[in-house]
Amino acid sequence: MVLEGIPAPVWGIGLLLLLMPALASNFVLFQIFGWSFILGTIALSLMVLAGYGGMVSLIQMTVAALAGYVVAILGTSGVPQISLGWPWWLHIPLAILIATLFGTLVGTLAVRTEGIYTIMITLAIAAAFFYFTRQNYGIFNGYTGFNNVVPPTLFGVDWRQPVPFYYLTLGCATLSYLAVVWMARTPFGLALQGVRDNPRRMSALGFSVTAHRILAYAFASVIAAFGGILLVWQNAQVVPGTAGIPQVIDILVIAVVGGLKRPIGPFIRALIYALLSVFSSDILLAFGMSGERFKLVIGLGFLAVVFFSRMACSGCGALDASAWSATAAT
Amino acid sequence: MMPSVAGRLNAAGSANALELRGVTRMFGALAALTDVTINVRPGERRAVLGSNGAGKTTLFNCITGDFPPTSGTIRFFGEDMTNFPPHERIRRGLRRTYQISALFTGLSVLDNVYLACRGVSRGRFSLIRPRTGDALLQSAESLIEAVHLQDVRHRLVGELSHGQQRQLEIALALAGAPRFILFDEPAAGLSPKERAELIEILTSMPKHIGFIIIEHDMDVALRVVESVTMLHNGRIFKEGPPEEIESDGEVQELYLGGGHG
């Protein structure tokens, strides 16, 4: 069972999160936790590639934004002359499919490179996507993008209300997390870690290293696509800046800073990031500084994460991937 | 074009296990191997000897496809695999071990062997976790017993002794249904007791599995093989049965008595 791989502290956190709507304000639920779960999910998709596959891909935020764009284009938005108004059961799966195909295609190009070149080629494609969406008005509505992109009303629930949206993002983040925990101990996941550690040896064991890496991109793209749709719903809009270079870098920071070993890491750092983003201008004002310098606080915060990452992000020490063993069941 | 199944079976039945014809490998202007022609019968066990830089490991890298030959052909049980990627060669029954252990040190012994078993069977991309009693897990367990590592099978490979890691190298090469194995200095760094165990493992392998072994330790090499190929400066210098090679004056001068360290 997947649940065997999850350490006790995570169970405790899970229970606390389930009860959170009884404790926290709507603002905290929607703006802090909702956003953290979404950023954490997108960053998790990068953690899969970088942590298990050894491939630092900067395309994950773009994959997420593309899924959001497809939802806006095929579903409904405030731009009826472009949006097709297809029903949710059609446009959501299509959005995930299209974003996954795109991410896999980028992966197919990127796996031919290593290290810094992977970063460069994915960054180049991310930048190209940003400028393309900004200049293309026929499909992506250029600079303005799409507003009024909201989740469908299902089961009589407005999913953009704080509490339903909280549970929606929590559910999606949890499923993504469990999928990654599960994957890490499957033959696919074990082999992916083998490819990361010694690709030449893996091909000498009969594995096609290229195929394995490309499929890792496909797996990660599905997760990023879910995150992207939620992000667009939360903002109720998708614009070129949804996947601008600063956003791409934010995802990199959330996924990578402080270690790549544990799939819970991106969520913890996404929460830190959301808290700092939302409250840093207040902190600065309290010290008599300009609130516009909030990026300074975020930067310092992440420096602290790097210095104290052993304590801050590995409090759940048992989360170390090598401590889990599928084969321990025998 | 793909030959028919019957054609391939016929070819495999009558062919040599390994057939190198005129294999040359250049690194820039340097010829690491020059016009090497070797035929190894199915089940045959052969040593490749030669001083450092003679081209022994390059020979292995050409056969496995890590460095494809610059010219020449390589046939494996009749099938021309000169241009196959490494993993396709492995899936056809070729195996190798490495001079310097190339293991997954962050994974357990069992996971390492399980990966090796998975690499040559279906379900490499499977998202289903192996259950207790899984056939591949069981074959991994029996391979671990075959190389005497059952007591450490849940330990991380990085924690094993050098000798144990060498034994694990061999277990990885035995995964699946190997037809031919390339051993690259399996005895390097082993204690006398571990060498005895290695000889025992090599001689107790099923008779139909042939191998080529690169080994500087003559006591190991000449005890487990029936033929020897001597390489010198990337060319074949001598071929013959062990006793003939051992007593050959030229060979002794070049290699055995040559103060090799």
Side-chain angles (χ1 to χ4, degrees):
Chain A
M1 272 305 288
V2 61
L3 301 178
E4 283 168 19
I6 299 168
V10 175
W11 285 109
I13 296 168
L15 190 66
L16 185 69
L17 288 176
L18 273 180
L19 301 174
M20 190 60 75
L23 309 169
S25 71
N26 280 347
F27 174 79
V28 169
L29 289 180
F30 189 82
Q31 215 58 45
I32 306 283
F33 280 106
W35 197 30
S36 307
F37 294 144
I38 293 167
L39 287 177
T41 303
I42 299 171
L44 177 68
S45 81
L46 172 50
M47 183 269 160
V48 167
L49 289 174
Y52 295 119
M55 302 176 283
V56 179
S57 153
L58 295 188
I59 204 68
Q60 302 315 111
M61 190 64 220
T62 306
V63 170
L66 178 61
Y69 264 115
V70 176
V71 162
I73 293 165
L74 300 184
T76 49
S77 78
V79 189
Q81 54 275 32
I82 294 177
S83 292
L84 298 173
W86 292 358
W88 66 269
W89 50 263
L90 193 57
H91 74 241
I92 294 175
L94 276 174
I96 289 161
L97 184 71
I98 291 169
T100 302
L101 286 177
F102 173 74
T104 311
L105 185 69
V106 174
T108 309
L109 293 172
V111 296
R112 283 157 212 292
T113 62
E114 300 249 336
I116 189 81
Y117 299 102
T118 309
I119 295 177
M120 283 172 69
I121 195 170
T122 51
L123 181 62
I125 296 169
F129 183 85
F130 169 73
Y131 287 110
F132 180 76
T133 50
R134 208 167 67 161
Q135 286 161 16
N136 178 289
Y137 280 83
I139 301 169
F140 292 100
N141 204 28
Y143 199 79
T144 18
F146 298 85
N147 58 358
N148 263 337
V149 188
V150 292
T153 304
L154 273 183
F155 316 112
V157 178
D158 177 359
W159 289 96
R160 209 167 165 267
Q161 288 304 309
V163 173
F165 192 76
Y166 173 84
Y167 281 117
L168 180 66
T169 50
L170 174 63
C172 194
T174 308
L175 280 180
S176 307
Y177 169 74
L178 291 179
V180 172
V181 170
W182 173 267
M183 182 279 291
R185 296 300 314 177
T186 61
F188 173 74
L190 274 179
L192 183 61
Q193 294 164 72
V195 166
R196 171 198 63 196
D197 292 342
N198 195 340
R200 206 174 134 201
R201 181 57 193 248
M202 284 306 280
S203 64
L205 292 180
F207 290 91
S208 165
V209 168
T210 307
H212 232 90
R213 286 178 169 160
I214 292 172
L215 278 174
Y217 269 91
F219 180 88
S221 297
V222 175
I223 294 174
F226 273 103
I229 294 173
L230 293 175
L231 182 66
V232 168
W233 282 346
Q234 185 187 34
N235 296 329
Q237 67 164 6
V238 54
V239 293
T242 303
I245 301 305
Q247 287 69 28
V248 168
I249 301 299
D250 286 345
I251 291 299
L252 176 70
V253 167
I254 293 170
V256 174
V257 168
L260 280 164
K261 265 195 162 172
R262 301 161 186 85
I264 201 74
F267 292 103
I268 295 173
R269 292 188 290 270
L271 180 64
I272 297 171
Y273 177 87
L275 286 170
L276 288 174
S277 299
V278 171
F279 293 115
S280 58
S281 57
D282 295 339
I283 299 169
L284 286 168
L285 288 173
F287 284 97
M289 292 157 83
S290 162
E292 287 159 15
R293 300 195 182 275
F294 69 96
K295 286 271 179 192
L296 180 71
V297 178
I298 295 179
L300 288 174
F302 274 99
L303 272 182
V305 169
V306 175
F307 278 118
F308 301 109
S309 58
R310 278 268 152 229
M311 282 173 273
C313 299
S314 61
C316 326
L319 274 166
D320 194 317
S322 59
W324 308 338
S325 186
T327 49
T330 56
Chain B
M1 207 188 74
M2 203 71 171
S4 69
V5 173
R8 279 170 70 170
L9 281 176
N10 276 335
S14 60
N16 283 317
L18 194 63
E19 205 175 292
L20 275 70
R21 202 156 288 170
V23 169
T24 297
R25 170 70 203 196
M26 308 290 293
F27 290 107
L30 174 81
L33 288 177
T34 309
D35 195 23
V36 170
T37 295
I38 295 179
N39 292 311
V40 188
R41 286 172 286 106
E44 184 181 337
R45 295 165 179 202
R46 180 180 299 219
V48 170
L49 305 182
S51 49
N52 286 330
K56 304 183 300 291
T57 298
T58 304
L59 178 71
F60 275 17
N61 284 331
C62 280
I63 297 171
T64 57
D66 287 29
F67 305 143
T70 311
S71 64
T73 57
I74 299 171
R75 300 179 87 83
F76 189 59
F77 288 93
E79 192 177 10
D80 184 349
M81 60 171 198
T82 315
N83 298 314
F84 284 6
H87 63 266
E88 289 293 348
R89 303 173 191 225
I90 302 304
R91 291 177 194 178
R92 280 165 174 74
L94 181 69
R95 300 285 187 276
R96 83 171 289 181
T97 68
Y98 288 83
Q99 192 176 351
I100 297 161
S101 295
L103 302 162
F104 304 102
T105 48
L107 298 177
S108 71
V109 171
L110 184 54
D111 284 344
N112 268 262
V113 183
Y114 178 76
L115 268 183
C117 294
R118 185 54 87 166
V120 288
S121 54
R122 283 156 191 260
R124 294 175 198 94
F125 303 119
S126 170
L127 285 173
I128 300 165
R129 289 187 181 184
R131 290 159 182 266
T132 312
D134 179 278
L136 284 183
L137 267 183
Q138 283 182 343
S139 45
E141 294 271 9
S142 54
L143 277 173
I144 288 170
E145 274 170 42
V147 297
H148 316 303
L149 288 176
Q150 58 272 34
D151 295 337
V152 293
R153 65 188 204 275
H154 290 305
R155 292 265 293 281
L156 291 184
V157 168
E159 298 168 2
L160 299 188
S161 72
H162 174 79
Q164 289 171 321
Q165 294 195 0
R166 299 306 290 168
Q167 279 161 295
L168 181 56
E169 271 282 335
I170 292 173
L172 298 194
L174 292 173
R179 295 200 282 176
F180 199 86
I181 306 179
L182 307 171
F183 291 109
D184 197 345
E185 295 196 38
L190 295 189
S191 68
K193 180 175 164 288
E194 289 167 332
R195 274 164 204 249
E197 273 184 16
L198 174 71
I199 292 172
E200 190 262 314
I201 290 170
L202 291 178
T203 47
S204 65
M205 268 178 14
K207 290 288 167 233
H208 72 275
I209 304 176
F211 61 73
I212 297 181
I213 183 170
I214 298 175
E215 188 48 69
H216 284 305
D217 184 337
M218 290 304 125
D219 288 339
V220 175
L222 300 183
R223 221 187 291 178
V224 295
V225 300
E226 58 222 57
S227 58
V228 176
T229 296
M230 184 75 199
L231 280 180
H232 184 61
N233 287 339
R235 290 172 187 274
I236 291 184
F237 179 67
K238 229 89 316 131
E239 276 187 303
E243 43 298 349
E244 196 181 301
I245 295 288
E246 218 173 359
S247 57
D248 187 292
E250 276 185 303
V251 171
Q252 289 200 339
E253 183 149 335
L254 246 174
Y255 185 64
L256 299 172
H260 177 79

